[in-house]
């Protein structure tokens, strides 16, 4: 049941399959290797009639699928006597969702128009000893992202014969097409052992988050002229996080205590907003949801601790 929403979910079925192989090696370069694979298959139905008194004008049902496949190869390496952790990763997600009129079976909207995201990543990290008590952690990551829209030009007759591309164009001035991203991340982190139980650290990092299928491609066209729609932006840019953080950890036999603080400047933060004719938004529908990029500044702190007050 989803109180406050327009629909409930009579079926939500997920199947997950995992397999992994790990092996220690005695090579001069490769110290260990781990291969893991997975598949996550999700079927989800929502409607406005089976789990609540039917009061809407039209009985609607949404059939959606989200299938994800992935694999990851991790290895501990020794390069010129320097230990390096490396990883190769691949992930594929496909999302498809149709909203239909339950009494007739007519297609009302293509909510996820067969959006397929392929991501391939390479990451590496190592720690350089600066002294007996200090070390510098250095890391890097590259992500290749490719997105396709298999049904962006398929019509939804009951919604005024509008294709998802027609909806995107009405709100943003452009339709969906194949997109490719090359995203780079990096980490520099200085760690210092103040004493045997106290660690001090400070770091600079850049990380990139690509938009998900809803943020870049939802095509929920509702209301007169689309006034209550919820529409993804096919040209949305990925978020780039640039973060400075610092903190400490104290670990004693029966208690621990730590704290950290961060400041994060985000370029192209992905904001879910209402459509009010902002730059890049072509309509003024205050009750319609859209996605746009803005600059943002995030900051915060965290304090944590534990106490083992008896041996058990």
């Amino acid at each position: 049941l989803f109180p406050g929403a327009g629909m409930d979910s009579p079926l939500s079925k997920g199947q997950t399959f995992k397999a992994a192989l790990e092996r220690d090696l005695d090579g001069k370069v490769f110290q260990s290797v781990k291969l893991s694979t997975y598949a996550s298959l999700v079927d989800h139905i929502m409607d406005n009639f089976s789990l609540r008194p039917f009061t809407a004008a039209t009985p609607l049902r949404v059939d959606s699928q989200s299938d994800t496949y992935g694999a990851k190869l991790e290895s501990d390496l020794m390069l010129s006597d320097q230990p390096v952790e490396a990883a190769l990763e691949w992930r594929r997600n496909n999302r498809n969702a149709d909203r239909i009129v339950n009494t007739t079976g007519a297609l009302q909207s293509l909510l996820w128009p067969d959006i397929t995201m392929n991501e391939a990543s390479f990451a590496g990290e190592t720690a350089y000893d600066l002294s007996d008590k200090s070390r510098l952690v250095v890391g890097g990551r590259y992500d290749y992202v490719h997105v396709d829209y298999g049904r962006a030009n398929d019509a939804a007759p009951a919604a005024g014969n509008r294709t998802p591309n027609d909806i995107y164009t009405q709100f943003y001035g452009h339709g969906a097409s194949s997109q490719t991203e090359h995203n780079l991340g990096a980490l520099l982190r200085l760690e210092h052992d103040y004493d045997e139980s106290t660690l001090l650290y400070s770091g600079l990092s850049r990380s990139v988050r690509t938009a998900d299928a809803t943020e870049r491609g939802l095509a929920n066209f509702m209301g007169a002229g689309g006034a209550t729609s919820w529409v993804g932006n096919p040209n949305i840019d990925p978020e780039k996080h640039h973060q400075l953080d610092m903190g400490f950890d104290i670990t004693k036999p029966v208690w621990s205590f730590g704290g950290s603080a961060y400041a994060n400047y985000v370029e192209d933060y992905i904001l879910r907003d209402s459509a009010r004719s902002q730059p890049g938004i072509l309509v003024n529908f205050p009750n319609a949801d859209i996605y746009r990029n803005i600059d943002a500044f995030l900051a915060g702190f965290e304090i944590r601790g534990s106490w083992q007050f008896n041996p058990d």
Side-chain angles (χ1 to χ4, degrees):
L1 302 176
F2 284 79
M7 290 182 168
D8 297 312
S9 178
L11 173 68
S12 186
K13 177 184 177 183
Q15 302 177 84
T16 302
F17 306 90
K18 298 180 180 180
L21 176 67
E22 187 170 1
R23 183 175 177 84
D24 292 330
L25 303 173
D26 297 325
K28 292 182 179 181
V29 175
F30 293 94
Q31 307 295 304
S32 69
V33 64
K34 179 180 179 181
L35 175 64
S36 56
T37 62
Y38 67 92
S40 174
L41 312 177
V42 178
D43 293 304
H44 191 78
I45 295 176
M46 296 195 75
D47 66 39
N48 62 357
F49 54 85
S50 66
L51 298 181
R52 64 176 67 190
F54 178 62
T55 58
T58 306
L60 298 174
R61 186 178 83 246
V62 176
D63 297 327
S64 61
Q65 300 84 38
S66 178
D67 295 337
T68 307
Y69 303 90
K72 188 174 185 179
L73 178 65
E74 302 170 88
S75 183
D76 291 326
L77 309 175
M78 188 65 68
L79 302 177
S80 300
D81 297 325
Q82 179 65 38
V84 176
E85 297 178 3
L88 285 169
E89 190 170 2
W90 169 78
R91 178 179 180 270
R92 176 185 175 90
N93 174 255
N94 175 264
R95 293 191 179 187
N96 210 14
D98 294 344
R99 184 166 60 210
I100 64 174
V101 179
N102 192 67
T103 50
T104 64
L107 182 64
Q108 199 264 358
S109 288
L110 294 174
L111 297 187
W112 283 330
D114 189 21
I115 301 174
T116 300
M117 297 181 60
N118 282 289
E119 302 175 60
S121 306
F122 173 74
E125 184 177 298
T126 188
Y128 292 96
D129 291 328
L130 304 178
S131 68
D132 292 341
K133 292 187 174 183
S134 300
R135 70 202 66 88
L136 180 66
V137 180
V138 180
R141 180 182 180 94
Y142 165 73
D143 293 292
Y144 169 85
V145 181
H146 184 78
V147 185
D148 284 312
Y149 299 77
R151 304 172 65 197
N153 284 315
D154 286 6
N161 201 32
R162 291 176 181 267
T163 69
N165 268 344
D166 292 334
I167 300 171
Y168 304 144
T169 301
Q170 176 182 347
F171 279 77
Y172 303 103
H174 52 77
S177 58
S178 295
Q179 299 280 342
T180 299
E181 297 172 5
H182 302 277
N183 299 325
L184 297 174
L187 166 70
L188 281 175
R189 175 184 170 103
L190 180 64
E191 299 180 348
H192 176 70
D193 299 321
Y194 181 77
D195 55 33
E196 291 183 354
S197 60
T198 304
L199 171 68
L200 307 176
Y201 61 87
S202 180
L204 283 170
S205 66
R206 170 189 164 93
S207 59
V208 182
R209 184 186 77 84
T210 192
D212 64 23
T214 295
E215 294 165 334
R216 64 169 76 243
L218 187 70
N220 183 8
F221 188 82
M222 294 289 288
T228 59
S229 298
W230 180 7
V231 183
N233 185 347
N235 279 10
I236 199 80
D237 290 324
E239 293 180 347
K240 297 92 172 174
H241 295 251
H242 306 87
Q243 181 165 303
L244 167 67
D245 67 280
M246 56 185 63
F248 68 96
D249 283 310
I250 303 173
T251 304
K252 297 290 187 177
V254 296
W255 62 271
S256 66
F257 182 69
S260 61
Y262 72 91
N264 182 11
Y265 170 70
V266 188
E267 182 183 358
D268 293 323
Y269 181 85
I270 298 173
L271 178 69
R272 178 176 170 179
D273 203 356
S274 56
R276 303 185 310 276
S277 300
Q278 304 97 320
I281 309 301
L282 304 185
V283 296
N284 185 15
F285 294 148
N287 292 321
D289 287 356
I290 50 87
Y291 291 96
R292 64 189 185 98
N293 292 118
I294 65 169
D295 291 335
F297 179 76
L298 311 176
F301 68 90
E302 177 182 282
I303 297 175
R304 54 195 175 273
S306 67
W307 172 39
Q308 185 178 349
F309 55 85
N310 70 47
D312 297 326

